[in-house]
Amino acid sequence: MDELKLTLAEEGFFTFSLEYIYEKTIDGGLFMALVAIYTIGSLNHPYDHPISREFYEMGYKVMRQAFVSGDLIEEFSSDEVLFPEEAKGKGYPVLTLTVWKSLQSLHRFSYSGKHSQALRKRSRWMHPSEEKHLSYVVWWADKVKDVSWEEAFKRYNYYIQYGPTPFAFDFKHSFDEKGDAFLVK
């Protein structure tokens, strides 16, 4: 049974929690893998700078569109997360962690609408990625509770060390939930 809680907070921000529980039966019954994405970036300016505030305003619009799409399952707050070493380079770190219904819906969302507009403005807000620095990593999860910041850091570091595998990958080198190479469209 799906349970959806969506509330509008005082300042117009959404708190979102959707728990999907699917059981895999012996006879091959219903099972749906979820996809998680961890993003990492570094703002050019302090968090309270007008250009950084512009980034957060666009981020609010992006996340609102994600919630409305029905494909976003969970967004994890980074408010009390201890930033990993790779995030402590130049600038001011920004991390996101979300869970989506499918790789296709995540990809479609990433390269359309408000998120696509934000990607085009990325250089205004963010430091360019350094060599061997990836701005995101994707992986499959059976349940939302399998996704955490600790897991995100582990998957990211694995990708940096070993490249794309079914354990951690990107859109250009993706895998389906069974571990087979997959061209995401």
Side-chain angles (χ1 to χ4, degrees):
M1 178 173 151
D2 296 352
E3 189 176 309
L4 174 66
K5 295 175 186 172
L6 181 61
T7 58
L8 183 61
E10 290 178 20
E11 295 182 32
F13 292 93
F14 289 97
T15 303
F16 186 79
S17 176
L18 180 61
E19 190 66 34
Y20 279 81
I21 303 172
Y22 293 98
E23 293 183 10
K24 190 174 189 178
T25 61
I26 295 173
D27 63 356
L30 180 62
F31 176 77
M32 182 177 179
L34 306 172
V35 67
I37 184 169
Y38 162 61
T39 69
I40 180 171
S42 186
L43 292 171
N44 290 323
H45 303 283
Y47 299 113
D48 61 351
H49 189 278
I51 292 177
S52 295
R53 284 197 306 266
E54 178 185 294
F55 166 80
Y56 284 109
E57 288 168 10
M58 177 58 97
Y60 168 74
K61 293 173 185 175
V62 167
M63 291 313 297
R64 181 168 181 183
Q65 188 175 28
F67 293 134
V68 171
S69 76
D71 293 319
L72 177 66
I73 295 173
E74 184 79 36
E75 176 189 22
F76 292 79
S77 171
S78 64
D79 287 346
E80 295 186 23
V81 173
L82 296 175
F83 292 124
E85 285 304 313
E86 65 270 8
K88 294 179 182 176
K90 294 180 187 175
Y92 303 85
V94 177
L95 311 176
T96 68
L97 179 57
T98 54
V99 179
W100 294 76
K101 283 184 179 180
S102 72
L103 186 58
Q104 294 86 345
S105 64
L106 169 59
H107 183 268
R108 184 175 47 252
F109 179 81
S110 297
Y111 296 104
S112 66
K114 296 288 182 198
H115 194 269
S116 178
Q117 291 173 13
L119 288 175
R120 287 192 297 272
K121 292 184 175 182
R122 181 179 171 86
S123 64
R124 175 173 169 77
W125 301 317
M126 309 295 271
H127 281 286
S129 294
E130 298 173 15
E131 186 178 329
K132 285 216 71 163
H133 175 85
L134 178 70
S135 62
Y136 71 95
V137 67
V138 178
W139 70 95
W140 291 101
D142 291 336
K143 297 176 228 133
V144 172
K145 69 180 182 179
D146 295 337
V147 179
S148 66
W149 285 104
E150 181 180 305
E151 186 68 19
F153 301 152
K154 181 171 83 174
R155 302 280 181 149
Y156 182 86
N157 289 330
Y158 183 92
Y159 183 100
I160 296 300
Q161 188 171 3
Y162 300 107
T165 68
F167 186 75
F169 54 92
D170 59 31
F171 290 133
K172 291 179 184 174
H173 309 96
S174 56
F175 297 84
D176 67 16
E177 56 268 36
K178 293 180 234 163
D180 295 328
F182 179 76
L183 179 61
V184 63
K185 296 178 185 180

